[in-house]
Amino acid sequence: MRKTTHSCFLLIILLIRMVPSLSSTVNYTDPTLEPVVTENSVIRQKIIDSQFKCYERMNRAPPYKKKGLFCNRTWDGWLCWDDTPAGRITAQNCPDYFPDFDPTERASKYCDETGNWFRHPESNRTWSNYTLCNSFTSEKLKMAFILYYMAIVGHALSITSLLISLAIFFYFKSLSCQRITLHKNLFFSYVLNSMFTIAHLIAVVPNPSLVKRDPVSCKVLQFFHQYMLGCNYFWMLCEGIYLHTLIVVAVFAEEQRLHWYYLLGWGFPLVPASIHAIARARYFNDNCWMSVETHLLYIVHGPVMAALLVNFFFLLNIVRVLVTKLRDTHRAESNMYMKAVRATLILVPLLGIQFVIIPWRPENRLAGEIYDYIMHILMHYQGLLVATIFCFFNGEVQGALKRQWTQYKTQWGQRRREHCSTRSTSYTATSITEVPVYLYHHDSNNEQLNGRYVEDSELVALKSGETSA
Amino acid sequence: AHHFITATACQEADYGWMIQHYCLKQFQLSMEGIGQRLWCDWDETMGTYGELTNCTALIAERLDCYWPNRLVDEFFVAIHRQYFRNCSPSGRALHDPPNSVLCPFILLPILVTLLMTALVVWRSKRSEGIV
């Protein structure tokens, strides 16, 4: 996941860099180190540091052993170059000293056939080619902005759809059961996560002066951001554990105690977030903790990936049980359970796939752009996806909404007529439709099946199915 | 020397002499002032090292040489051999802690996660039938 956020934050950091607070007035053909001007002191510090590392490396690396002419290892003022055989072009990634240098581009240096480094024909000085480092800057800046606004829109849409879903779940009491309670908590954690992300994107990312000042508040924001990320994935895990307990472990458990789920969903993510904060403050205390170049991010993302994996295995186990054990005895019920699991089974890989494919960003420019767009959609539109799959596509929710709508229509139509007699008929009409609802709605929400409406014979049969599972 | 035949006024020998006598002397005094024990402490030596770099660059400008060049490379390699031979090459940039520290930091939350998950599964299994 480090590289998950890598591409996202690389673009965001590229964005920070592009904000023209520091212009690249340095002529890249002439990397002189001028007496320090305050704004450039950070840059100069980086360059001096690189220089130190370079000469250390030149000292410690073994001497050139191959035969033939070669160019000596050298420091060209910005980057370190190793011994290179004659007639070869050597390349490495551009440095990140300047705002308009893109560290994913390559800088190159040519060692000519006589064993000397290439000299620029105009100035006759040894010259490295840094032209690619800042040549595509404007396109990248444009794309970074597009992705930035896409992220903000994604989170805003997610918040909206999640709040609507929460309103639906709270308003329709007929829907409420334990699984819906878990959904409500999951949606709430997504809302909070989106809010923190928007706050971060709006307040911190486009604000280099804030990042330079490095107040404690932006680190606290980052801490809560990591915490909410953990909460998201751990609530998904709670959903998976709940389904697993319901179907595989203790079929028809009437009411599970949800305290442990609350603990795992809200309380436990504090642990990785706190450990990350402590480790970051101690070992990698960069400004606002924005850098993604550190393995310390795995402190949060490792447990998240573990939770996703565990969740995935639970769901596969559920599917296995449903397919093998229950299909023989009760096809209808197992189909119903399968539909309950289907939603979660779709979501877990979708949420997890970003962790899997992030490391493989394509080299090709066009493919890389497409990849960036897809990853951004996967990462920032998750709330919308969760709300849609768990709420808007849920058959029971749709049924409840339809019933409410017909109720409003009849009430509105009857407003012109008498009240008393028509009101009682509309009540009985809704109560009649309440009872057999489990027979018609074969989708996700199946808790009403638990012992309340199922007949005894089916209960016995399913329990025997459980013991052999 | 053949590099500079067609060059302007840059005299390699002069440049070499000047950086040895001006920049190096200054650097030696500063480093002795810091004390040999602290030579590897990058926080202490960074300023002096930066000044040395500046000095070589200024003299290059004065003598119409371009900076950096082969002499600068040799000069600094010698400096490093003399002063920084036993130091870690990492410099001052932010870097991850060594693996012996990093791995426990990463593995511990993962283990705790798995334990916690097992705990929740176990507890929810035991609470069946309780209303």
Side-chain angles (χ1 to χ4, degrees), chain B residues 3 41-42 48 53-54 61 72 75 80 85 88-89 108:
Chain B
H3 289 214
D41 189 341
W42 186 231
T48 314
T53 309
N54 265 356
E61 199 187 326
V72 171
F75 179 69
H80 275 251
R85 190 203 313 237
S88 77
L108 181 69

Side-chain angles (χ1 to χ4, degrees), chain A residues 22-37:
Chain A
L22 294 166
S23 57
S24 173
T25 52
V26 179
N27 183 356
Y28 55 76
T29 59
D30 181 23
T32 57
L33 297 173
E34 295 174 359
V36 175
V37 184

Side-chain angles (χ1 to χ4, degrees), chain A residues 157-170:
Chain A
L157 274 179
S158 297
I159 291 182
T160 318
S161 58
L162 288 164
L163 286 176
I164 294 175
S165 312
L166 278 171
I168 291 176
F169 283 146
F170 276 111

Side-chain angles (χ1 to χ4, degrees), chain A residues 91-105:
Chain A
Q92 55 176 301
N93 284 333
C94 293
D96 60 351
Y97 309 135
F98 306 108
D100 56 346
F101 268 34
D102 178 9
T104 66
E105 290 285 356

Side-chain angles (χ1 to χ4, degrees), chain B residues 85-100:
Chain B
R85 190 203 313 237
N86 298 323
C87 300
S88 77
S90 55
R92 201 173 167 241
L94 287 170
H95 59 281
D96 284 341
N99 277 352
S100 56

Side-chain angles (χ1 to χ4, degrees), chain A residues 44-45 49 51-53 55-56 59-60 74-75 119 125-126 245 249 255 260 268 283 286 294-295 303, chain B residues 3 42 50 53-54 66-68 73 80-81 85 87 89 92 94 96 101 112-113 123-125 130:
Chain A
R44 198 168 158 271
Q45 185 179 313
D49 192 80
Q51 178 186 324
F52 184 89
K53 279 193 260 200
Y55 284 117
E56 277 298 299
N59 239 344
R60 286 156 202 259
T74 182
W75 165 253
R119 290 163 164 273
R125 55 179 294 168
T126 318
T245 307
V249 174
E255 288 277 310
W260 291 99
F268 180 72
Y283 291 109
D286 59 321
T294 170
H295 286 97
Chain B
H3 289 214
W42 186 231
T53 309
N54 265 356
Y66 61 83
W67 192 97
D73 277 350
H80 275 251
R81 216 171 272 153
R85 190 203 313 237
C87 300
R92 201 173 167 241
L94 287 170
D96 284 341
V101 173
V112 176
T113 302
R123 291 300 309 180
S124 59
K125 180 177 172 181
I130 298 170

